[in-house]
Amino acid sequence: MSTSKNVTCLFFAFALVLIMSHPAYALQSSMIDPNLQITLDYPDTVKPGENLVISTITKATSDQISNITLAVSSPGLYTTNNTCSLAKLAKDSTFGNNFEMKIKNDMPDGTFVVNMQATYFIKGLFDANPVKDTFAQAFRISVQSSPIISFDIQSPSNVFSGEPFSIKGTVKNQGATAQNLQIVVYSQDVNLDGRKSLLLSSLDSGKSSDFEFIVSTPKDLDIPTHATIYINGTYLDESNKTHSIQDSISMFARHRGMMEIGDANGIWLGDFFIAPVVGVGTIVSSAIGFFIFLWHYRNKKKSKKTKKAKS
């Protein structure tokens, strides 16, 4: 009994060391069988000719499991040892293993399929001999020889002239590692003041980074203006070749009205100042709206006095 406990502790400790010492992967999936659970960790993106590590943690969920074999196969991989064997694994114990392989040099950009197969023997209460069982799972890995950069931008569609507003975003790399990633915000329709550029020294494969620019349009903007704001990115691949990406947002800049509060989406002071009238005569429109509000307020008071007099 003590020997079995020692073996279980040894397997658990080995698996724990593998988890703590090996870097985190971008993707994880599970192979689940009534008697075994296998967790797979692997990168989501690799390059042609690059080394690849697929990490596995195998856990027994039943007794009497023996002769466990894991096998990896794929037409896109060079493999020197694509199998892992384990004589026994006690219930609720785990075992970790790394499959070290290499992506073929002539692999084109795209995705390829990797197959993982598990084979084991289990002896049940009514079985004279152990019974063989096999289950498998396929997963995909992306091959990219260059960085693939994308933007996700969030910004207001209406702003007040001269008042700062935020352009937030996330930049993500779904290809090879990008170097010297520079993001710049500009517009050909209106001048922008504030922080308009950002430099990231590198962005690894499968990683993303959040950014934010706080900018403003000129305070003395003559008329309400529809403007296109561009978010431009330039970066280098590992061979120092320059790549670029551009996204854009639409924005409407105008002066703040006299009775207007909050942001530029049309919140006014009072119940009757929703959806502002904007244009060259914004101030005039605001004054007219204010007098309409006073007229309505006085009529409401008169109506209350009349009801009291009648009662």
Side-chain angles (χ1 to χ4, degrees), residues 4 9 16 18 62 68 88 92 99 102 106-107 119 143 146 153 155 168 182 193 199 226 251 283 294 297 301:
S4 177
C9 293
L16 184 62
L18 280 175
S62 299
I68 302 170
K88 290 183 179 181
D92 295 328
F99 290 97
K102 186 177 181 179
D106 57 353
M107 283 291 290
T119 303
V143 176
S146 300
I153 309 296
S155 67
K168 296 181 180 181
Q182 185 169 15
D193 296 321
L199 178 63
H226 289 277
M251 180 201 69
I283 296 178
L294 289 179
Y297 181 73
K301 274 193 169 183

Side-chain angles (χ1 to χ4, degrees), residues 272 291-302:
F272 295 90
F291 287 123
I292 293 174
F293 172 75
L294 289 179
W295 175 81
H296 180 83
Y297 181 73
R298 288 177 180 175
N299 281 350
K300 197 172 183 181
K301 274 193 169 183
K302 287 181 181 180

Side-chain angles (χ1 to χ4, degrees), residues 158 160 254 260-269 273-276 278:
N158 297 282
F160 289 127
R254 60 181 177 83
E260 201 166 4
I261 62 173
D263 58 28
N265 291 320
I267 302 175
W268 287 66
L269 183 63
F273 292 91
I274 308 298
V278 295

Side-chain angles (χ1 to χ4, degrees), residues 152-156 166-170 210-214 231:
D152 181 15
I153 309 296
Q154 304 92 38
S155 67
S166 172
I167 300 175
K168 296 181 180 181
T170 300
D210 296 331
F211 61 87
E212 181 178 14
F213 298 103
I214 306 297
I231 299 91

Side-chain angles (χ1 to χ4, degrees), residues 143-307:
V143 176
Q144 299 295 338
S145 57
S146 300
I148 301 178
I149 303 298
S150 61
F151 287 138
D152 181 15
I153 309 296
Q154 304 92 38
S155 67
S157 57
N158 297 282
V159 300
F160 289 127
S161 57
E163 297 186 15
F165 62 94
S166 172
I167 300 175
K168 296 181 180 181
T170 300
V171 56
K172 183 176 182 181
N173 183 10
Q174 295 176 297
T177 298
Q179 306 287 345
N180 295 326
L181 173 59
Q182 185 169 15
I183 305 173
V184 178
V185 173
Y186 67 96
S187 176
Q188 297 174 344
D189 303 314
V190 63
N191 291 328
L192 295 176
D193 296 321
R195 180 169 175 261
K196 297 176 288 184
S197 64
L198 172 68
L199 178 63
L200 297 175
S201 58
S202 66
L203 189 63
D204 293 337
S205 173
K207 300 296 183 180
S208 62
S209 179
D210 296 331
F211 61 87
E212 181 178 14
F213 298 103
I214 306 297
V215 295
S216 62
T217 63
K219 187 175 182 179
D220 56 351
L221 198 64
D222 294 332
I223 59 173
T225 302
H226 289 277
T228 300
I229 297 180
Y230 298 97
I231 299 91
N232 187 52
T234 58
Y235 53 93
L236 303 176
D237 59 23
E238 293 186 350
S239 62
N240 287 328
K241 182 180 179 181
T242 302
H243 303 265
S244 64
I245 179 177
Q246 188 178 79
D247 202 348
S248 64
I249 57 174
S250 297
M251 180 201 69
F252 181 60
R254 60 181 177 83
H255 294 297
R256 182 185 286 271
M258 288 179 61
M259 302 296 295
E260 201 166 4
I261 62 173
D263 58 28
N265 291 320
I267 302 175
W268 287 66
L269 183 63
D271 296 336
F272 295 90
F273 292 91
I274 308 298
V277 179
V278 295
V280 178
T282 299
I283 296 178
V284 176
S285 302
S286 301
I288 293 173
F290 179 66
F291 287 123
I292 293 174
F293 172 75
L294 289 179
W295 175 81
H296 180 83
Y297 181 73
R298 288 177 180 175
N299 281 350
K300 197 172 183 181
K301 274 193 169 183
K302 287 181 181 180
S303 176
K304 286 183 178 180
K305 287 181 180 179
T306 303
K307 288 182 179 178

Side-chain angles (χ1 to χ4, degrees), residues 105-124:
N105 295 323
D106 57 353
M107 283 291 290
D109 287 2
T111 59
F112 68 97
V113 177
V114 179
N115 294 290
M116 177 71 71
Q117 180 176 284
T119 303
Y120 64 93
F121 288 83
I122 183 169
K123 185 176 181 181

